[in-house]
Amino acid sequence: MDGFSYKEIKELQQLIAPPKDDSDSDSDDSENLRQRLSRRKIGPGDIAGKANVAPCASPKPAAAKSAEAPSDIWHPAEVSPIADLQSEDPRELPEYEMKFKQALGTEDIFLGMNLKTPATASCQWLTLRVRLPGEKRERLELSVESNVVELRSPRYRLQLPTPFPVDPNGSSAKWHPDSDCLEISLKLSRELDDVNF
């Protein structure tokens, strides 16, 4: 018979609901409090409280903490500086959409031989669709570098850092006149390893 033995079930029961202490020194109020605390939901904040700070850790100075916004994920020193001309330029920021693409063959779909996954680590292309209502193809200037895409027109300006390095020579762009949309296909150039294949 597959399943748990009587001994294993009893051990599990003791883990879930430990036996009550039969000492007379505990009052009913403290027993109720103990039961309520044992039923309290534990969240990620309960793992290490503020009182459990390591003694060798030095707290940050108050001036440095107030300079950083609480919603910032990265410290400014961790971000690579890219010239932010978008904030100084009066032209509009167009709507854009970025998607990853994979090159799949029958061996990937039916046989699963190349170990590709739906994750972005298995993608070879990055597609950028930029909506430019009221623009014409002749008035667009596109510049693709290894880590930034810059699009300029008399009405719009977009300077977008790419999430991964791209190959400017292996990339292409196509203008869709019916939707006033520019589709840029950027070939990703990253090292192949156990994750990126």
Side-chain angles (χ1 to χ4, degrees), residues 73-143:
I73 297 174
W74 306 105
H75 188 274
E78 295 175 318
V79 181
S80 63
I82 294 178
D84 187 17
L85 301 175
Q86 193 71 38
S87 61
E88 300 170 2
D89 200 329
R91 292 180 276 189
E92 291 181 48
L93 179 69
E95 292 181 25
Y96 64 90
E97 177 181 40
M98 192 179 291
K99 293 183 179 178
F100 287 92
K101 289 192 324 187
Q102 291 184 12
L104 296 175
T106 54
E107 66 274 359
D108 299 316
I109 296 172
F110 296 111
L111 302 175
M113 292 173 62
N114 285 343
L115 303 173
K116 289 189 179 180
T117 64
T120 59
S122 298
C123 295
Q124 294 92 359
W125 296 90
L126 180 66
T127 302
L128 180 64
R129 290 182 57 94
V130 185
R131 292 194 66 240
L132 301 161
E135 282 298 333
K136 298 186 189 293
R137 183 185 73 173
E138 296 81 24
R139 300 183 344 183
L140 298 177
E141 289 182 35
L142 177 65
S143 171

Side-chain angles (χ1 to χ4, degrees), residues 2-174:
D2 293 336
F4 295 105
S5 68
Y6 177 77
K7 182 181 176 188
E8 293 171 335
I9 292 175
K10 280 299 192 184
E11 289 174 355
L12 183 62
Q13 180 184 12
Q14 289 178 355
L15 280 174
I16 294 172
K20 292 183 180 179
D21 190 14
D22 291 336
S23 66
D24 293 330
S25 62
D26 289 341
S27 66
D28 292 334
D29 294 333
S30 64
E31 186 64 32
N32 288 338
L33 178 63
R34 191 178 305 137
Q35 286 180 356
R36 280 186 302 201
L37 289 176
S38 67
R39 282 186 249 148
R40 191 179 127 233
K41 293 185 180 179
I42 297 175
D46 295 324
I47 293 173
K50 293 180 181 176
N52 295 338
V53 176
C56 62
S58 61
K60 288 185 179 180
K65 195 168 192 175
S66 64
E68 298 173 10
S71 61
D72 287 349
I73 297 174
W74 306 105
H75 188 274
E78 295 175 318
V79 181
S80 63
I82 294 178
D84 187 17
L85 301 175
Q86 193 71 38
S87 61
E88 300 170 2
D89 200 329
R91 292 180 276 189
E92 291 181 48
L93 179 69
E95 292 181 25
Y96 64 90
E97 177 181 40
M98 192 179 291
K99 293 183 179 178
F100 287 92
K101 289 192 324 187
Q102 291 184 12
L104 296 175
T106 54
E107 66 274 359
D108 299 316
I109 296 172
F110 296 111
L111 302 175
M113 292 173 62
N114 285 343
L115 303 173
K116 289 189 179 180
T117 64
T120 59
S122 298
C123 295
Q124 294 92 359
W125 296 90
L126 180 66
T127 302
L128 180 64
R129 290 182 57 94
V130 185
R131 292 194 66 240
L132 301 161
E135 282 298 333
K136 298 186 189 293
R137 183 185 73 173
E138 296 81 24
R139 300 183 344 183
L140 298 177
E141 289 182 35
L142 177 65
S143 171
V144 177
E145 294 179 18
S146 63
N147 60 352
V148 67
V149 175
E150 191 170 354
L151 178 66
R152 295 178 299 270
S153 75
R155 187 173 169 190
Y156 297 102
R157 167 96 184 225
L158 176 67
Q159 182 180 14
L160 190 65
T162 57
F164 299 106
V166 298
D167 178 16
N169 297 327
S171 303
S172 63
K174 182 179 180 184

